[in-house]
Amino acid sequence: MSTSGSSPIVTIMGCVIVAIRDDLDDREVLMLQDQLVEEVARVKARGVIIDIASLEIVDTFAGRMLGSMAQMAHMMNARTIVVGMRPAVAMTLVELGMTLDGVETALNADRAMSLILGRRIKPS
Amino acid sequence: MTDESWTVALVRQSDVAFARQVAMKAMTAIGASAIKKTKFVTAVSEIARNAVIYGHGGAITFRVVGIGLHRSVVGECTDRGPGIADMQLALKDGYTTGSGLGLGLSGARRLVDRFDIISSAESGTTVTLESAAR
Amino acid sequence: MPSESASLSSILSSDFEKILASWLKAQAREGVKRTDLVSAKETEKQSRDFLIAFGRATRDAPTDDKFDFANPSWDPVREALEEITESRTQRGVSPTEMGWFIASIKLPLFEQMRVAFAENNARLLENVWNTTRVVDQLALHAVESLVQKREAIIERQRAEMTEVSAPVVKIWDRIVTVPLIGTLDSFRAQTVMENLLDAIVQWEAEIAIIDITGVSTVDTLVAQHLLKTAAAVKLMGAECVICGISPKIAQTIVNLGVDLPNVTTRIDLQSGLAYAFERLGVTTKG
């Protein structure tokens, strides 16, 4: 287990899971991305679950990080699922014009886990 | 009703996070709804980041204006940068001089109730953002 | 005890009943005693409570040029004013009436001062001026409080109305739906989106069905709002289904040149629900 700031990264059944703590600055966001990519490679992960339930805001920088994370993980054959997005954050991202195409989403980590482990059909 | 104002210096990247916290505090003080808070703080984040990266640093000041249910938070961000040469282009979705998505300035404008921008090569760029409580 | 405030406070304590009676009369004369809205008994009680608090505050805090309404000694007065405005807001008393209600207390106070300082014009004038400053401040506070309370009521009613006009219901495990009726302006569209997204969190829904059967017209703005809602729903990890697409609406949308990519649409609620069941692997008998 490694940490970025106080966001702990854990790996369960081949899924790298991180619950981002509130309010990371840009440098911390990039550090977290580095650590996630490292962890995906280290454990040969099948999926990455990023829980953003505690984030009150996701701006274009953090949004872009989620998008690149998904791309990088994809290249390493892992799915990235963003979970727990707050309604206000979702509306704001839409208004910003950031629809995070290419990033999968789920309501919570539990559902994301089922998706990655293939127990349920994937919502389109 | 209140003359309170908060100023955050914008020099390092971590100052952007601090500006967000102060913006959130100001919006909470006027009893803003969750969506208004998030939109305003996100806009502040974009503008403050621009000031740090492109504007050679600056400062953002928040004030509460109006009374009762008509209160709103005004954020005024000034930088010491070279100014914006082509404003129309800068406000277009997808336009960027850096490595970003080009949604910062144009996106921030859509997130607030009032968005003013003044820019010149001599005095840098000043962006004013205003958001009501709901 | 601040010496300058002694006069106002001593007048209030020594001639309390007289001042109260005279104030009530003054209220009636100034046309603020709305017997149709507030009963005489209630007015008397409120006036008495206020006067008691007022008397105490003038004893404990300065009322001369060092007067500061923010001083904690005035808290009970503010509370008394809150109570008065609260009951009057609900009865539709106007801000003017509210202002006069408080301001009319000057008359009995000045009457008493004229007697007390009959020999000393300078002192009389000074006391009249100090009292005016204090009372005006209280009256303004009362008016402001009344207006704020009124706005709060309007805001609450508006919130209730939008709540009623866009009720999100959970129709099945993991499925929520909202029927849209009438015209969809920007404000309502925003409310619908907020309610729907909140419901997704609340019910842990995976499918959100928006039924636009009852929407009279779909213009570009409405279509855009629907698209935004669908995008936000997707970001939260659920899927949006828009149903109630009549032939007319399908034509309008296409003619407007609005594209609804990545949005699932169905003719009516039944087919929307059938689609949701299929997605979630729900089977029903019959």
Side-chain angles (χ1 to χ4, degrees), chain C residues 245-257:
Chain C
I245 308 279
S246 65
K248 203 175 132 235
I249 285 180
Q251 281 173 315
T252 323
I253 290 178
V254 172
N255 288 337
L256 282 170

Side-chain angles (χ1 to χ4, degrees), chain C residues 43-89:
Chain C
T43 301
E44 196 197 321
K45 190 193 169 292
Q46 287 175 344
S47 303
R48 179 180 291 275
D49 289 349
F50 170 78
L51 216 51
I52 292 170
F54 187 39
R56 285 207 188 111
T58 55
R59 195 190 57 208
D60 300 339
T63 52
D64 53 10
D65 50 1
K66 286 191 282 301
F67 165 68
D68 179 9
F69 196 40
N71 187 316
S73 298
W74 289 99
D75 285 350
V77 176
R78 256 190 295 274
E79 276 162 35
L81 282 176
E82 285 295 299
E83 210 168 296
I84 294 171
T85 50
E86 179 74 48
S87 72
R88 272 150 213 261
T89 310

Side-chain angles (χ1 to χ4, degrees), chain B residues 42-93:
Chain B
T42 307
V44 165
S45 188
E46 302 298 338
I47 299 304
R49 178 180 295 107
N50 278 350
V52 170
I53 297 178
Y54 305 110
H56 308 153
I60 185 162
T61 301
F62 300 99
R63 281 179 296 126
V64 172
V65 299
I67 55 157
L69 291 165
H70 303 295
R71 278 191 297 175
S72 57
V73 174
V74 176
E76 194 175 279
C77 182
T78 52
D79 68 28
R80 296 181 281 267
I84 298 169
D86 188 338
M87 190 62 69
Q88 274 195 323
L89 193 61
L91 286 170
K92 245 175 91 173
D93 267 357

Side-chain angles (χ1 to χ4, degrees), chain A residues 95 105 120-124, chain C residues 204 206 228 234-235 279:
Chain A
E95 211 61 63
T105 52
R120 292 231 355 252
I121 50 155
K122 155 190 170 304
S124 59
Chain C
E204 298 198 328
E206 289 189 51
K228 279 186 191 171
K234 184 181 169 285
L235 281 173
R279 296 289 303 162

